[in-house]
């Protein structure tokens, strides 16, 4: 539950910063997440992805998955522009 709150706080901070960049006369007092909080949320995302893989029987053994390609696909998707759906 704490990780979800941290993730939500990070999203709010990112949204506030992006809005602040568009309107320079608006002041937003938001606390940025610490590196420990970012690490915790990152780990939670990894646990969630691992749960998805294991729950759907995508890999009996981690040797069956090329994690470098998984990471590349994730990075490419996050960099892509337009509607993700």
């Amino acid at each position: 539950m704490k990780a979800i709150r941290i993730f939500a706080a990070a999203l709010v901070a990112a949204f506030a910063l992006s809005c602040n960049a568009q309107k320079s006369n608006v002041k937003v007092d938001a606390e940025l997440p610490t590196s420990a909080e970012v690490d915790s949320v990152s780990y939670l995302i990894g646990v969630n992805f691992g749960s998805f893989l294991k729950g759907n029987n995508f890999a009996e053994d981690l040797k069956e998955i090329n994690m470098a390609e998984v990471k590349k696909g994730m990075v490419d998707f996050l960099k892509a522009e337009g509607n993700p759906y």
Side-chain angles (χ1 to χ4, degrees):
M1 190 63 147
K2 183 178 179 182
I4 292 172
R5 289 183 188 158
I6 293 169
F7 184 65
L11 286 177
V12 169
F15 180 72
L17 289 174
S18 68
C19 289
N20 193 23
Q22 294 173 355
K23 297 179 181 180
S24 60
N25 61 346
V26 176
K27 299 283 183 177
V28 177
D29 186 23
E31 186 177 321
L32 295 176
T34 65
S35 62
E37 291 170 334
V38 170
D39 290 347
S40 295
V41 171
S42 299
Y43 183 80
L44 177 63
I45 291 169
V47 168
N48 187 282
F49 185 66
S51 173
F52 171 79
L53 291 176
K54 190 172 186 176
N56 290 290
N57 294 321
F58 282 118
E60 294 285 326
D61 185 3
L62 282 179
K63 294 176 188 172
E64 297 175 13
I65 297 176
N66 184 339
M67 294 306 283
E69 288 298 313
V70 170
K71 181 180 177 183
K72 183 179 180 289
M74 293 171 78
V75 168
D76 288 347
F77 183 83
L78 292 172
K79 286 182 180 179
E81 294 182 14
N83 187 345
Y85 304 105

